[in-house]
Amino acid sequence: MTKQPQLLILPFDHRSSFSRDLLGYEGKLTPKQKNDVKALKRIVFDAFESVVNKDRSRGEFGILLDEEFGSELLRKAKKMGVQLCLTTEKSGQKEFQFEYGASFAKHINAFSPQYVKALVRYHPANVEANKHQLTRLKKLSDFCHRNGYQLLFELLVPPTEQDLAKVKTQAAYDKKLRAKYTEQAIQEIQKKVDVDLWKVEGFTKGEWKRILKITNPASRMIVLGRGGDRKQVETWLKDAAGFEQIIGFAVGRTIFYEPLKGFIAKKLSRTQAVEGIAKRFSSFVRLWRSKKSA
């Protein structure tokens, strides 16, 4: 259907999802605890590598990692010839903040990734917070385009308290309000920030049509997983695959979380965890390609 290069990303730049949610570590990590996080990320990387090494279209694959726990793996991925995506945001913040503050450029240049990623929680109702975020994000965008990097903008549009008072649940918000607010968010962000690749939550086909209509035609999109169950994520990918401007996915926790939990609980060996993650990642790759070629 499309001649555009596809981008099939396994993201595991998460930090608190590994340290707090999987391992139960709170506060500042000890050197041993940091090594425990790195060891889990190495399991995910080994799964990614096993899938890529069996595939003829190596250039379609991408890896999204953080410097803190993934610097060694980022360098190894670069040698593999896959697309390199480096995260820039401080983990767990309501507003976008640079992980390395004013030194962000130095840390990006150290890895020279194809994509520089910013995770942003942006609801149009949060006017003051959005102003602050856009100032920082414009600085990042300007730096990227001066230096030959592409900006990967991960947009999350979580409900406000007022939204939940209206619709009660996240599922109802997803169904009734999220697409509308995502359209508004993209329109506002595009006025200030030059986005090369949007990483967004899934929508129905009708919602995608409206969102793509207001998105800069030069921008491309990929679908994230938001830690959703497999069936939900598969539905998101199926609905997205029919649009030329949407070129792939970045699904992380849906793929790696359960196998890693099994490994930590000693219900799975390391080899079994690697195989389980690889199997899940491969299934999403096959699904995406089959829907794109349909």
Side-chain angles (χ1 to χ4, degrees):
M1 176 176 291
T2 174
K3 294 181 180 179
Q4 287 200 58
Q6 299 300 288
L7 188 55
L8 313 173
I9 298 176
L10 182 56
F12 51 110
D13 57 319
H14 316 70
R15 280 144 284 172
S16 58
S17 291
F18 280 84
S19 61
R20 182 193 63 214
D21 300 343
L22 279 167
L23 293 168
Y25 298 153
E26 298 285 353
K28 187 175 181 180
L29 301 185
T30 66
K32 179 192 176 300
Q33 289 172 333
K34 287 184 178 181
N35 285 334
D36 290 343
V37 174
K38 290 179 181 179
L40 290 185
K41 294 208 173 198
R42 184 60 194 243
I43 290 174
V44 183
F45 181 87
D46 287 354
F48 173 79
E49 186 176 30
S50 72
V51 173
V52 172
N53 285 342
K54 295 174 184 176
D55 198 286
R56 293 181 180 180
S57 301
R58 179 178 295 250
E60 290 187 347
F61 289 94
I63 196 164
L64 172 54
L65 267 167
D66 58 292
E67 178 180 344
E68 182 179 7
F69 299 112
S71 56
E72 177 187 340
L73 301 179
L74 282 163
R75 294 187 181 97
K76 185 169 183 180
K78 194 162 192 176
K79 293 178 181 177
M80 289 170 59
V82 298
Q83 301 289 307
L84 206 66
C85 311
L86 176 68
T87 195
T88 60
E89 78 276 351
K90 187 176 290 187
S91 181
Q93 305 298 304
K94 290 183 179 179
E95 286 186 29
F96 173 82
Q97 303 278 354
F98 287 107
E99 173 68 22
Y100 297 104
S103 301
F104 73 89
K106 173 184 173 184
H107 289 265
I108 293 170
N109 288 332
F111 294 95
S112 295
Q114 282 86 4
Y115 292 93
V116 173
K117 174 252 187 180
L119 168 63
V120 184
R121 294 172 176 85
Y122 191 108
H123 191 294
N126 300 326
V127 177
E128 285 303 312
N130 293 340
K131 285 181 182 177
H132 300 154
Q133 294 194 112
L134 288 174
T135 297
R136 301 180 192 112
L137 291 160
K138 186 178 187 311
K139 185 181 295 185
L140 178 61
S141 172
D142 290 347
F143 165 79
C144 286
H145 297 117
R146 283 197 308 268
N147 292 275
Y149 303 121
Q150 296 189 65
L151 177 61
L152 195 172
F153 196 112
E154 180 174 355
L155 174 62
L156 297 179
V157 187
T160 63
E161 291 182 6
Q162 290 79 8
D163 293 331
L164 291 178
K166 287 180 184 178
V167 298
K168 307 304 181 188
T169 66
Q170 176 72 47
Y173 170 78
D174 285 343
K175 186 175 182 179
K176 297 178 180 179
L177 297 175
R178 181 164 56 80
K180 178 182 73 172
Y181 290 140
T182 300
E183 288 181 59
Q184 293 178 23
I186 289 173
Q187 287 176 313
E188 292 177 12
I189 292 163
Q190 287 181 150
K191 293 176 182 177
K192 298 286 186 181
V193 181
D194 185 7
V195 177
D196 298 291
L197 182 65
W198 294 94
K199 179 175 180 247
V200 296
E201 298 160 279
F203 300 97
T204 66
K205 292 179 181 179
E207 290 168 342
W208 275 121
K209 287 179 181 178
R210 296 196 301 272
I211 289 169
L212 291 170
K213 189 174 181 179
I214 57 91
T215 303
N216 184 339
S219 299
R220 294 154 297 145
M221 288 196 165
I222 56 175
V223 185
L224 57 80
R226 205 178 70 182
D229 64 65
R230 181 169 180 163
K231 186 176 179 180
Q232 178 198 59
V233 177
E234 286 178 347
T235 298
W236 282 2
L237 296 187
K238 289 174 184 177
D239 286 338
F243 298 94
E244 186 176 358
Q245 201 170 340
I246 307 174
I247 63 167
F249 64 82
V251 177
R253 287 173 296 166
T254 304
I255 290 172
F256 67 70
Y257 202 82
E258 289 304 317
L260 289 183
K261 278 179 65 178
F263 171 73
I264 293 167
K266 301 189 186 309
K267 294 179 180 179
L268 296 177
S269 67
R270 189 185 190 282
T271 298
Q272 288 172 323
V274 170
E275 290 174 347
I277 294 168
K279 183 178 180 180
R280 288 167 178 239
F281 183 42
S282 293
S283 73
F284 283 116
V285 170
R286 289 194 301 271
L287 173 66
W288 182 260
R289 286 174 170 168
S290 69
K291 294 302 175 182
K292 269 295 179 185
S293 63

